[in-house]
Amino acid sequence: MSFAERCGLHTPEREAACQRLERLIAERGIERVRVGWCDAHGLLRGKTLMPDAAVRALRQGVGMVGTLMLKDTADRTAWKVFEPGGTADLPGFAGASNLLLLPDPESFVELPWSPGTAWLRAQPWHEDGTPVAFDSRRVLQAALGRLAQRGLGFTTGLEVEFHIYRLTDAAPQLDPELAAWPGLPPSVHMVHPGYQLHGEAMTDMAEDALRIVERTALGLGLPLQSLEIELGPSQVEAVFDATDALTAADQMVLLRNGVRQALRREGYHATFMCRPPFPNIMSSGWHLHQSVVALDGGRNAFMRDAPAPGTDPRDATHTLSELGAGWLAGLLAHAPALTPLCTPTINGFGRFRPNALAPQAILWGRDNRGAMLRVVGGAGDGATRIENRLGEPAANPYVCMAAQIHAGLDGVDQKLAAPQGTEAPYAEGSQRIPNNLGDALAALRADAGMVKGLGEVVVNHFCRIKQSELERHAAAEDKTDFDRREYFARY
């Protein structure tokens, strides 16, 4: 029996897909296959296999050290895996034991920046064929399964801000005399000076870099809609067509990985950290547009045919269906616990400032970009949706999206009512978003509904990894240097 069969995955259909892929690898002259998986931080890790080994891995898996699931932002293992009881809360991880990666044959894509190289998405499993509970992709799959039991799916569109810089000197990062853990970032300068939102001249100035992003995204099969100049120096935004949540999360991981690699080869450095460690920058956000749809027929379950009687645009049910209004209320009710899952880095909390197109308080508004939740659309509009502006682009997309589902469903199930929408998102008197990672993690731990939805083992795993980051940040004498090494060089 193959390992894929022991995991309960290997159907006749999957076997046929494996055979098709084996033929495709030969026909395309593929020389190497990168088998990649997403870690706790939303970063891709992986192994490069020769074609025959990649084909074997489709059925038998390929080994990986289990500590790769336990790394903090400096790539340090957050558990004492070699001490008795050091992994008591994580059975199966003592002694840096092995896991197996099982690739998905349907995920094959050729990397447009690396001729002869293909990529396969994989997920980790224990050697006995049981899934790793806190595998972040599995966390989203579980949330979507909960939604599917009601005949519903989750649709989202990626709208991602990030920064691109031109490399001026990569030598410090690669100098063996300066090697450290974590290491130095490269030296850079900007690709446009900023402060001219959507400026046509800025677009032309940054065109060479933007062309690389375009070729990479389209070459990976991502549904790129537009590339735009954002307000900040060297800041850009990529917008994609809406799709189902699992596909969108997969696309977010591929985008960040691919853009960074392709740009690096051409002399650029891309970063998806929220606030690069330079003066006078603008924070990058990840605005998660979301709607719930019927699996049978695809109707937008947030849309209503006509405003509820007696309502005005400040009322949730003027724009949203009863389900949509409950979902909105759930996102508001669980906002403190959602915060670290949407903004998981210490750096990202610098974004929550007034009058900066970023939220500061737990509010919703009708087409209001200062509110945490922006309701877009109207009665009869099939594109009616909720935009959650809480996130940063370094968030793990699987965990971030799963958290939306659990919070939204809780609002629906508890029949929560949203307050009236705001027209003054930065006014005093409203409940604030947690303003630091420590408080946000405490809110997550204390939120029984979110812990139940995500699973206690998932929350404990996430919080422990982030606590390691907090402890190292507290011990760092130079906080800017911490940002450069932990985030700018790696995210």
Side-chain angles (χ1 to χ4, degrees):
M1 177 182 290
S2 71
F3 181 69
E5 288 172 317
R6 284 193 322 197
C7 294
L9 292 183
H10 203 63
T11 62
E13 292 76 16
R14 188 178 187 278
E15 174 59 28
C18 291
Q19 293 179 18
R20 287 195 302 271
L21 180 55
E22 183 174 5
R23 292 192 296 270
L24 181 61
I25 287 173
E27 291 167 1
R28 299 292 297 174
I30 298 300
E31 299 168 352
R32 66 199 67 83
V33 179
R34 297 184 189 175
V35 175
W37 62 279
C38 183
D39 71 7
H41 310 284
L43 300 177
L44 269 179
R45 298 179 186 261
K47 291 192 170 188
T48 300
L49 303 181
M50 298 305 100
D52 288 348
V55 170
R56 286 196 303 272
L58 293 171
R59 300 172 182 86
Q60 300 299 343
V62 60
M64 60 170 273
V65 60
T67 54
L68 289 173
M69 301 290 292
L70 312 180
K71 300 294 187 182
D72 65 14
T73 51
D75 222 48
R76 297 184 183 274
T77 303
W79 279 258
K80 297 183 183 300
V81 297
F82 297 113
E83 295 185 9
T87 58
D89 58 332
L90 293 179
F93 283 86
S97 57
N98 222 32
L99 300 174
L100 286 172
L101 291 171
L102 197 58
D104 177 0
E106 301 286 5
S107 65
F108 176 88
V109 63
E110 294 182 57
L111 301 185
W113 65 88
S114 181
T117 304
W119 182 85
L120 287 172
R121 181 181 58 252
Q123 289 183 248
W125 295 74
H126 292 288
E127 289 187 316
D128 64 0
T130 58
V132 177
F134 48 84
D135 163 30
S136 58
R137 193 170 191 267
R138 189 171 305 283
V139 171
L140 178 56
Q141 289 170 318
L144 290 169
R146 182 183 173 196
L147 200 54
Q149 290 175 353
R150 306 170 189 232
L152 299 172
F154 188 79
T155 296
T156 183
L158 300 181
E159 183 180 307
V160 189
E161 297 168 355
F162 59 104
H163 290 78
I164 302 173
Y165 298 91
R166 180 175 284 281
L167 292 169
T168 58
D169 187 4
Q173 189 178 41
L174 301 177
D175 187 340
E177 299 292 339
L178 300 176
W181 190 1
L184 290 167
S187 299
V188 298
H189 68 208
M190 300 184 303
V191 297
H192 71 77
Y195 304 117
Q196 192 179 29
L197 183 64
H198 292 187
E200 190 59 22
M202 301 293 144
T203 301
D204 195 67
M205 187 178 293
E207 183 177 7
D208 289 345
L210 292 177
R211 281 181 181 270
I212 297 168
V213 176
E214 174 192 330
R215 289 197 303 269
T216 302
L218 296 178
L220 291 171
L222 308 184
L224 181 66
Q225 186 182 111
S226 67
L227 289 171
E228 302 168 2
I229 296 296
E230 266 299 322
L231 180 59
S234 232
Q235 188 181 38
V236 301
E237 181 180 54
V239 180
F240 296 82
D241 293 339
T243 185
D244 69 277
L246 192 61
T247 299
D250 290 338
Q251 291 172 347
M252 181 69 160
V253 172
L254 271 180
L255 170 73
R256 293 190 305 206
N257 187 66
V259 162
R260 284 176 59 84
Q261 291 184 29
L263 282 168
R264 177 73 185 218
R265 288 184 176 223
E266 300 296 329
Y268 296 92
H269 178 74
T271 180
F272 290 82
M273 72 179 292
C274 181
R275 295 179 58 78
F278 306 114
N280 304 316
I281 55 90
M282 295 293 289
S283 300
S284 288
W286 173 22
H287 307 144
L288 189 63
H289 294 258
Q290 56 191 276
S291 58
V292 170
V293 298
L295 293 177
D296 181 10
R299 177 181 168 85
N300 184 348
F302 280 3
M303 183 187 73
R304 65 182 312 125
D305 294 326
T311 62
D312 64 39
R314 295 173 302 167
D315 297 310
T317 52
H318 187 83
T319 303
L320 297 170
S321 66
E322 296 298 327
L323 184 145
W327 192 280
L328 178 76
L331 294 176
L332 292 170
H334 294 285
L338 286 173
T339 301
L341 303 169
C342 299
T343 296
T345 69
I346 296 164
N347 175 272
F349 284 80
R351 176 171 161 265
F352 299 141
R353 302 180 179 190
N355 303 306
L357 294 174
Q360 191 175 38
I362 300 171
L363 300 166
W364 77 274
R366 177 75 175 82
D367 200 10
N368 191 315
R369 287 182 167 84
M372 188 190 91
L373 301 177
R374 172 179 170 240
V375 174
V376 186
D381 184 351
T384 298
R385 61 196 183 275
I386 299 169
E387 178 191 21
N388 191 336
R389 299 175 65 83
L390 193 57
E392 64 167 323
N396 182 314
Y398 302 110
V399 176
C400 178
M401 292 182 193
Q404 313 296 307
I405 293 170
H406 293 304
L409 281 178
D410 191 60
V412 173
D413 291 346
Q414 300 296 327
K415 295 183 170 53
L416 300 181
Q420 283 202 323
T422 185
E423 296 177 349
Y426 301 117
E428 295 295 327
S430 298
Q431 182 185 1
R432 293 294 181 90
I433 296 165
N435 65 6
N436 63 80
L437 182 58
D439 288 350
L441 292 174
L444 174 58
R445 291 190 188 99
D447 190 316
M450 290 301 294
V451 172
K452 180 180 178 182
L454 291 166
E456 188 172 355
V457 67
V458 172
V459 172
N460 288 343
H461 172 261
F462 177 84
C463 289
R464 177 134 178 199
I465 284 178
K466 302 314 292 184
Q467 189 62 40
S468 176
E469 181 181 341
L470 281 170
E471 290 169 0
R472 284 184 296 93
H473 183 264
E477 294 182 5
D478 187 334
K479 307 304 185 189
T480 299
D481 185 63
F482 182 94
D483 276 5
R484 289 176 183 271
R485 292 172 182 266
E486 297 265 338
Y487 307 130
F488 187 66
R490 300 161 63 85
Y491 283 82

